[in-house]
Amino acid sequence: MMKHLAVIGAVFAIQLTAWAQTPQPAPQAPAASLNAASTAEANKAIAIAFYNAALNEKDWEKASKYIGSRYVQHNQAAVDGLEGIKAHIENLKKNFPLNHGEIKRTIADGDLVALHIHVKRSPDVLGFAVVDIFRIENGKVVEHWDVVQRIPEPKDVKNANTMF
Amino acid sequence: MMKHLAVIGAVFAIQLTAWAQTPQPAPQAPAASLNAASTAEANKAIAIAFYNAALNEKDWEKASKYIGSRYVQHNQAAVDGLEGIKAHIENLKKNFPLNHGEIKRTIADGDLVALHIHVKRSPDVLGFAVVDIFRIENGKVVEHWDVVQRIPEPKDVKNANTMF
């Protein structure tokens, strides 16, 4: 009886060991893709938080916490670096206190995040369609590109889909 | 002796059973994220191929193969649907045969692909900075937004980083 139990126990142990050593199904994509996806999601949140702090709340103190040790500026109307973005925020705060950008869609891929935004300097204007692109490095915004287009008057519009 | 072996075997079996039942580390992202990442990569290739066929090769026959059963147009200067994009390609072919868009960066996320492009109607001009956003559904382009800005003259530029 004890011998039987010993054999059963040992066989069971061997089977379980074999099961445990069987290679488990491989992930559907390499870990790099998984990390890239989660990085892009994290970067999306950082870009949105930075945009809101800077352009909507116009709070340089808060916005600057999202900026890295450098800020490569591609908006050609702004001075390079932190100085340019700080001046832009201060100008908005002083001259366009009701400036607001409504983020319509967010596209994040690797270290880049694009925000498609309806920007109005005051509530009563048509405003601008803007795409801001931010590059995020180690959780900080380090580079910025944008493209800005004035929204056309209704009389000049050829479809009813709006710019967004 | 046999009793000892039986106990050892049984304990080993129980331990292995417990190990096998212990929840294994969860994947770093759900399968949906993996699929989303590969969809975004596929969509990126489709958007680039469509852009090149339409705006660079100006080949409506080729470009139309990438378009779905509808094409929601948000460029306010174009008529909605296939008619508008076809007319735009034909206009470029006739009036701006050297029109070329150089894709500087591509950002793909889910069903959206953003292309950041330097567009020149002819080689000797400063041209435009453009972001085209395409929505891809089942491998076909079904919606288009864009933002277009004229590249400023060098005299009006405040940094040396260019718009790209």
Side-chain angles (χ1 to χ4, degrees), chain B residues 8-41:
Chain B
I8 291 165
V11 167
F12 192 36
I14 288 160
Q15 284 178 334
L16 271 169
T17 306
W19 182 90
Q21 287 171 349
T22 301
Q24 298 305 299
Q28 292 178 46
S33 291
L34 291 163
N35 293 337
S38 60
T39 301
E41 280 309 304

Side-chain angles (χ1 to χ4, degrees), chain A residues 2-7 9-10 12-14 16-17 19-20 27-31 33-35 37-38 41 44 71-81 105-109 112-114 116 129-131 133 143 145-150 152 156-164, chain B residues 2-7 9-10 12-14 16-17 19-20 27-31 33-35 37 41 44 71-81 105-109 112-114 116 129-131 133 143 145-152 156-164:
Chain A
M2 288 313 292
K3 190 177 173 184
H4 276 232
L5 265 183
V7 170
F12 192 36
I14 288 159
L16 272 170
T17 307
W19 182 89
Q28 292 177 47
S33 291
L34 290 164
N35 293 338
S38 60
E41 281 308 305
K44 196 182 279 193
Y71 187 84
V72 181
Q73 179 61 268
H74 293 271
N75 179 313
Q76 298 289 279
V79 171
D80 197 20
R105 50 190 59 79
T106 306
I107 309 172
D109 186 354
L112 298 175
V113 182
H116 191 200
V130 177
V131 172
I133 301 174
E143 193 161 7
W145 302 260
D146 60 7
V147 181
V148 179
Q149 182 181 351
R150 189 175 287 277
D156 297 324
V157 155
K158 289 194 180 158
N159 65 63
N161 299 326
T162 83
M163 286 193 77
F164 304 101
Chain B
M2 289 315 289
K3 190 177 175 184
H4 276 233
L5 265 181
V7 170
F12 192 36
I14 288 160
L16 271 169
T17 306
W19 182 90
Q28 292 178 46
S33 291
L34 291 163
N35 293 337
E41 280 309 304
K44 197 181 279 193
Y71 187 83
V72 181
Q73 179 61 267
H74 292 271
N75 180 312
Q76 298 289 280
V79 171
D80 196 21
R105 51 190 57 80
T106 305
I107 309 173
D109 185 355
L112 298 175
V113 182
H116 192 199
V130 178
V131 172
I133 301 174
E143 192 161 8
W145 301 260
D146 62 6
V147 180
V148 179
Q149 181 180 350
R150 190 175 287 279
I151 291 173
D156 297 323
V157 155
K158 289 196 181 157
N159 65 64
N161 299 327
T162 84
M163 286 195 76
F164 303 102

Side-chain angles (χ1 to χ4, degrees), chain A residues 29-116:
Chain A
S33 291
L34 290 164
N35 293 338
S38 60
T39 301
E41 281 308 305
N43 288 347
K44 196 182 279 193
I46 291 162
I48 292 171
F50 170 65
Y51 184 87
N52 283 326
L55 283 304
N56 286 334
E57 298 170 45
K58 305 163 195 70
D59 183 338
W60 167 246
E61 193 69 26
K62 187 173 176 182
S64 63
K65 292 184 170 48
Y66 295 100
I67 301 178
S69 55
R70 66 206 157 93
Y71 187 84
V72 181
Q73 179 61 268
H74 293 271
N75 179 313
Q76 298 289 279
V79 171
D80 197 20
L82 275 69
E83 192 191 334
I85 174 69
K86 187 181 179 188
H88 181 50
I89 292 173
E90 285 172 356
N91 175 54
L92 286 177
K93 200 169 181 173
K94 186 179 169 191
N95 298 312
F96 304 99
L98 297 179
N99 178 81
H100 186 81
E102 188 187 341
I103 299 170
K104 298 290 192 174
R105 50 190 59 79
T106 306
I107 309 172
D109 186 354
D111 59 353
L112 298 175
V113 182
L115 304 180
H116 191 200

